[in-house]
Amino acid sequence: QVQLKESGPGLVQPSRTLSLTCTVSGFSLTSYGVSWVRQPPGKGLEWIAAIWSGGSTDYNSALKSRLSISRDTSKSQVLLKMNSLQTEDTAMYFCARLRGGPYVMDAWGQGASVTVSS
Amino acid sequence: DIQMTQSPASLSASLGETVTIECLASEDIYSNLAWYQQKPGKSPQLLIYYANSLNDGVPSRFSGSGSGTQYSLKINSLQSEDVSIYFCQQNYDSPPTFGGGTKLELK
């Protein structure tokens, strides 16, 4: 079955770089795109970035200068890097499969909690 | 960016009741509207895409409608497992944007 699982450091110091990995199973990254979405504690959802099945990428313009999304199809992994982290980047970070229309996310991982603190 | 405004922000209803959640886009999104359900402590789950298409496995008591800038999610015969936060999302243009969410509780 379709599964996505996020992994990351949990705690990151301010101004450092966050690296998150989304490991997928049950589908191929060359057939489906993957997005990252985050949710600060008690707040709403914010789309971060996407990598499409053909390898092209898209970023939230508000965060673009700090972001990099890539993939390793041999490992079924999508990687997200965000630099210059601040306390407002504290959030749950989700990866999700794209299907059913552009930017429609039909399967989600459980999320990776990221706290930015010294 | 396209702004998505959801109403109400919170809603209390009784079991068996019908509830409706509204979503207003700041411009025409041509039915490129999805609804997600997020249960406490869980990740969001897709309910509806393209305004009125039910995702696989979603109960038929959920339905979506709307066009242009105005959309709605209706839940018929409310069940206890429907207690969640519901988000709308436009997927017409990048960046895809979400409504602020509607918290549905049981009365």
Side-chain angles (χ1 to χ4, degrees), chain A residues 47-65:
Chain A
W47 177 79
I48 300 171
I51 186 163
W52 302 101
S53 57
S56 60
T57 59
D58 191 15
Y59 297 97
N60 187 322
S61 55
L63 302 168
K64 186 173 183 176
S65 63

PDB file of all heavy atoms in Angstrom, chain A residues 47-65:
ATOM      1  N   TRP A  47       1.978  25.195   2.290  1.00  0.00           N
ATOM      2  CA  TRP A  47       2.695  24.424   1.279  1.00  0.00           C
ATOM      3  C   TRP A  47       4.114  24.972   1.133  1.00  0.00           C
ATOM      4  O   TRP A  47       4.321  26.188   1.106  1.00  0.00           O
ATOM      5  CB  TRP A  47       1.955  24.501  -0.047  1.00  0.00           C
ATOM      6  CG  TRP A  47       2.649  23.792  -1.163  1.00  0.00           C
ATOM      7  CD1 TRP A  47       2.662  22.456  -1.423  1.00  0.00           C
ATOM      8  CD2 TRP A  47       3.446  24.406  -2.188  1.00  0.00           C
ATOM      9  NE1 TRP A  47       3.405  22.201  -2.544  1.00  0.00           N
ATOM     10  CE2 TRP A  47       3.904  23.371  -3.028  1.00  0.00           C
ATOM     11  CE3 TRP A  47       3.813  25.715  -2.473  1.00  0.00           C
ATOM     12  CZ2 TRP A  47       4.706  23.605  -4.135  1.00  0.00           C
ATOM     13  CZ3 TRP A  47       4.609  25.959  -3.569  1.00  0.00           C
ATOM     14  CH2 TRP A  47       5.058  24.908  -4.399  1.00  0.00           C
ATOM     15  N   ILE A  48       5.078  24.057   1.024  1.00  0.00           N
ATOM     16  CA  ILE A  48       6.476  24.467   0.980  1.00  0.00           C
ATOM     17  C   ILE A  48       7.082  24.282  -0.411  1.00  0.00           C
ATOM     18  O   ILE A  48       7.654  25.217  -0.978  1.00  0.00           O
ATOM     19  CB  ILE A  48       7.310  23.663   1.999  1.00  0.00           C
ATOM     20  CG1 ILE A  48       6.799  23.865   3.419  1.00  0.00           C
ATOM     21  CG2 ILE A  48       8.784  24.036   1.903  1.00  0.00           C
ATOM     22  CD1 ILE A  48       7.436  22.928   4.429  1.00  0.00           C
ATOM     23  N   ALA A  49       6.989  23.063  -0.944  1.00  0.00           N
ATOM     24  CA  ALA A  49       7.664  22.762  -2.206  1.00  0.00           C
ATOM     25  C   ALA A  49       7.120  21.466  -2.776  1.00  0.00           C
ATOM     26  O   ALA A  49       6.449  20.694  -2.080  1.00  0.00           O
ATOM     27  CB  ALA A  49       9.178  22.636  -1.998  1.00  0.00           C
ATOM     28  N   ALA A  50       7.404  21.252  -4.060  1.00  0.00           N
ATOM     29  CA  ALA A  50       7.015  20.017  -4.721  1.00  0.00           C
ATOM     30  C   ALA A  50       8.090  19.600  -5.705  1.00  0.00           C
ATOM     31  O   ALA A  50       8.796  20.447  -6.276  1.00  0.00           O
ATOM     32  CB  ALA A  50       5.682  20.183  -5.451  1.00  0.00           C
ATOM     33  N   ILE A  51       8.181  18.300  -5.903  1.00  0.00           N
ATOM     34  CA  ILE A  51       9.007  17.754  -6.978  1.00  0.00           C
ATOM     35  C   ILE A  51       8.121  16.811  -7.767  1.00  0.00           C
ATOM     36  O   ILE A  51       7.470  15.928  -7.209  1.00  0.00           O
ATOM     37  CB  ILE A  51      10.288  17.071  -6.442  1.00  0.00           C
ATOM     38  CG1 ILE A  51      11.187  16.644  -7.598  1.00  0.00           C
ATOM     39  CG2 ILE A  51       9.982  15.920  -5.510  1.00  0.00           C
ATOM     40  CD1 ILE A  51      12.626  16.353  -7.174  1.00  0.00           C
ATOM     41  N   TRP A  52       8.064  17.040  -9.044  1.00  0.00           N
ATOM     42  CA  TRP A  52       7.138  16.321  -9.916  1.00  0.00           C
ATOM     43  C   TRP A  52       7.760  15.023 -10.421  1.00  0.00           C
ATOM     44  O   TRP A  52       8.966  14.803 -10.299  1.00  0.00           O
ATOM     45  CB  TRP A  52       6.721  17.220 -11.065  1.00  0.00           C
ATOM     46  CG  TRP A  52       6.081  18.487 -10.580  1.00  0.00           C
ATOM     47  CD1 TRP A  52       6.661  19.710 -10.479  1.00  0.00           C
ATOM     48  CD2 TRP A  52       4.755  18.630 -10.070  1.00  0.00           C
ATOM     49  NE1 TRP A  52       5.781  20.614  -9.940  1.00  0.00           N
ATOM     50  CE2 TRP A  52       4.601  19.979  -9.685  1.00  0.00           C
ATOM     51  CE3 TRP A  52       3.680  17.757  -9.891  1.00  0.00           C
ATOM     52  CZ2 TRP A  52       3.419  20.471  -9.139  1.00  0.00           C
ATOM     53  CZ3 TRP A  52       2.513  18.259  -9.360  1.00  0.00           C
ATOM     54  CH2 TRP A  52       2.382  19.593  -8.991  1.00  0.00           C
ATOM     55  N   SER A  53       6.942  14.189 -11.028  1.00  0.00           N
ATOM     56  CA  SER A  53       7.398  12.872 -11.473  1.00  0.00           C
ATOM     57  C   SER A  53       8.533  12.981 -12.508  1.00  0.00           C
ATOM     58  O   SER A  53       9.414  12.127 -12.560  1.00  0.00           O
ATOM     59  CB  SER A  53       6.240  12.069 -12.068  1.00  0.00           C
ATOM     60  OG  SER A  53       5.636  12.762 -13.130  1.00  0.00           O
ATOM     61  N   GLY A  54       8.539  14.046 -13.262  1.00  0.00           N
ATOM     62  CA  GLY A  54       9.599  14.227 -14.251  1.00  0.00           C
ATOM     63  C   GLY A  54      10.861  14.853 -13.675  1.00  0.00           C
ATOM     64  O   GLY A  54      11.870  14.977 -14.381  1.00  0.00           O
ATOM     65  N   GLY A  55      10.801  15.238 -12.396  1.00  0.00           N
ATOM     66  CA  GLY A  55      11.967  15.803 -11.732  1.00  0.00           C
ATOM     67  C   GLY A  55      11.958  17.313 -11.601  1.00  0.00           C
ATOM     68  O   GLY A  55      12.813  17.885 -10.916  1.00  0.00           O
ATOM     69  N   SER A  56      11.002  17.979 -12.243  1.00  0.00           N
ATOM     70  CA  SER A  56      10.940  19.436 -12.106  1.00  0.00           C
ATOM     71  C   SER A  56      10.458  19.796 -10.706  1.00  0.00           C
ATOM     72  O   SER A  56       9.811  18.985 -10.026  1.00  0.00           O
ATOM     73  CB  SER A  56      10.025  20.043 -13.163  1.00  0.00           C
ATOM     74  OG  SER A  56       8.718  19.540 -13.041  1.00  0.00           O
ATOM     75  N   THR A  57      10.786  21.007 -10.297  1.00  0.00           N
ATOM     76  CA  THR A  57      10.507  21.419  -8.922  1.00  0.00           C
ATOM     77  C   THR A  57       9.715  22.721  -8.879  1.00  0.00           C
ATOM     78  O   THR A  57       9.709  23.496  -9.844  1.00  0.00           O
ATOM     79  CB  THR A  57      11.812  21.593  -8.125  1.00  0.00           C
ATOM     80  OG1 THR A  57      12.624  22.597  -8.783  1.00  0.00           O
ATOM     81  CG2 THR A  57      12.582  20.296  -8.034  1.00  0.00           C
ATOM     82  N   ASP A  58       9.072  22.963  -7.757  1.00  0.00           N
ATOM     83  CA  ASP A  58       8.312  24.189  -7.545  1.00  0.00           C
ATOM     84  C   ASP A  58       8.442  24.543  -6.071  1.00  0.00           C
ATOM     85  O   ASP A  58       8.422  23.649  -5.213  1.00  0.00           O
ATOM     86  CB  ASP A  58       6.845  23.973  -7.930  1.00  0.00           C
ATOM     87  CG  ASP A  58       6.053  25.269  -7.982  1.00  0.00           C
ATOM     88  OD1 ASP A  58       6.677  26.358  -8.003  1.00  0.00           O
ATOM     89  OD2 ASP A  58       4.810  25.205  -8.006  1.00  0.00           O
ATOM     90  N   TYR A  59       8.557  25.827  -5.795  1.00  0.00           N
ATOM     91  CA  TYR A  59       8.762  26.277  -4.431  1.00  0.00           C
ATOM     92  C   TYR A  59       7.778  27.389  -4.061  1.00  0.00           C
ATOM     93  O   TYR A  59       7.384  28.179  -4.920  1.00  0.00           O
ATOM     94  CB  TYR A  59      10.181  26.835  -4.255  1.00  0.00           C
ATOM     95  CG  TYR A  59      11.283  25.837  -4.466  1.00  0.00           C
ATOM     96  CD1 TYR A  59      11.945  25.747  -5.698  1.00  0.00           C
ATOM     97  CD2 TYR A  59      11.671  24.973  -3.450  1.00  0.00           C
ATOM     98  CE1 TYR A  59      12.957  24.826  -5.896  1.00  0.00           C
ATOM     99  CE2 TYR A  59      12.693  24.055  -3.640  1.00  0.00           C
ATOM    100  CZ  TYR A  59      13.329  23.988  -4.861  1.00  0.00           C
ATOM    101  OH  TYR A  59      14.341  23.071  -5.057  1.00  0.00           O
ATOM    102  N   ASN A  60       7.444  27.450  -2.775  1.00  0.00           N
ATOM    103  CA  ASN A  60       6.689  28.592  -2.262  1.00  0.00           C
ATOM    104  C   ASN A  60       7.603  29.814  -2.370  1.00  0.00           C
ATOM    105  O   ASN A  60       8.703  29.828  -1.820  1.00  0.00           O
ATOM    106  CB  ASN A  60       6.284  28.334  -0.816  1.00  0.00           C
ATOM    107  CG  ASN A  60       5.350  29.395  -0.280  1.00  0.00           C
ATOM    108  OD1 ASN A  60       5.500  30.579  -0.580  1.00  0.00           O
ATOM    109  ND2 ASN A  60       4.395  28.977   0.531  1.00  0.00           N
ATOM    110  N   SER A  61       7.138  30.806  -3.075  1.00  0.00           N
ATOM    111  CA  SER A  61       7.984  31.978  -3.344  1.00  0.00           C
ATOM    112  C   SER A  61       8.434  32.667  -2.055  1.00  0.00           C
ATOM    113  O   SER A  61       9.500  33.271  -2.003  1.00  0.00           O
ATOM    114  CB  SER A  61       7.245  32.972  -4.243  1.00  0.00           C
ATOM    115  OG  SER A  61       6.005  33.324  -3.671  1.00  0.00           O
ATOM    116  N   ALA A  62       7.620  32.549  -1.000  1.00  0.00           N
ATOM    117  CA  ALA A  62       7.967  33.195   0.275  1.00  0.00           C
ATOM    118  C   ALA A  62       9.164  32.525   0.948  1.00  0.00           C
ATOM    119  O   ALA A  62       9.815  33.122   1.800  1.00  0.00           O
ATOM    120  CB  ALA A  62       6.772  33.178   1.208  1.00  0.00           C
ATOM    121  N   LEU A  63       9.439  31.282   0.567  1.00  0.00           N
ATOM    122  CA  LEU A  63      10.513  30.514   1.198  1.00  0.00           C
ATOM    123  C   LEU A  63      11.608  30.125   0.210  1.00  0.00           C
ATOM    124  O   LEU A  63      12.630  29.555   0.611  1.00  0.00           O
ATOM    125  CB  LEU A  63       9.935  29.223   1.815  1.00  0.00           C
ATOM    126  CG  LEU A  63       8.842  29.384   2.862  1.00  0.00           C
ATOM    127  CD1 LEU A  63       8.187  28.037   3.154  1.00  0.00           C
ATOM    128  CD2 LEU A  63       9.415  29.991   4.140  1.00  0.00           C
ATOM    129  N   LYS A  64      11.404  30.416  -1.050  1.00  0.00           N
ATOM    130  CA  LYS A  64      12.226  29.851  -2.121  1.00  0.00           C
ATOM    131  C   LYS A  64      13.724  30.036  -1.932  1.00  0.00           C
ATOM    132  O   LYS A  64      14.512  29.134  -2.222  1.00  0.00           O
ATOM    133  CB  LYS A  64      11.798  30.454  -3.460  1.00  0.00           C
ATOM    134  CG  LYS A  64      12.476  29.830  -4.653  1.00  0.00           C
ATOM    135  CD  LYS A  64      11.899  30.351  -5.958  1.00  0.00           C
ATOM    136  CE  LYS A  64      12.537  29.656  -7.150  1.00  0.00           C
ATOM    137  NZ  LYS A  64      11.927  30.086  -8.431  1.00  0.00           N
ATOM    138  N   SER A  65      14.127  31.201  -1.445  1.00  0.00           N
ATOM    139  CA  SER A  65      15.560  31.481  -1.325  1.00  0.00           C
ATOM    140  C   SER A  65      16.233  30.574  -0.294  1.00  0.00           C
ATOM    141  O   SER A  65      17.460  30.457  -0.276  1.00  0.00           O
ATOM    142  CB  SER A  65      15.772  32.945  -0.939  1.00  0.00           C
ATOM    143  OG  SER A  65      15.200  33.213   0.331  1.00  0.00           O
TER     144      SER A  65
END
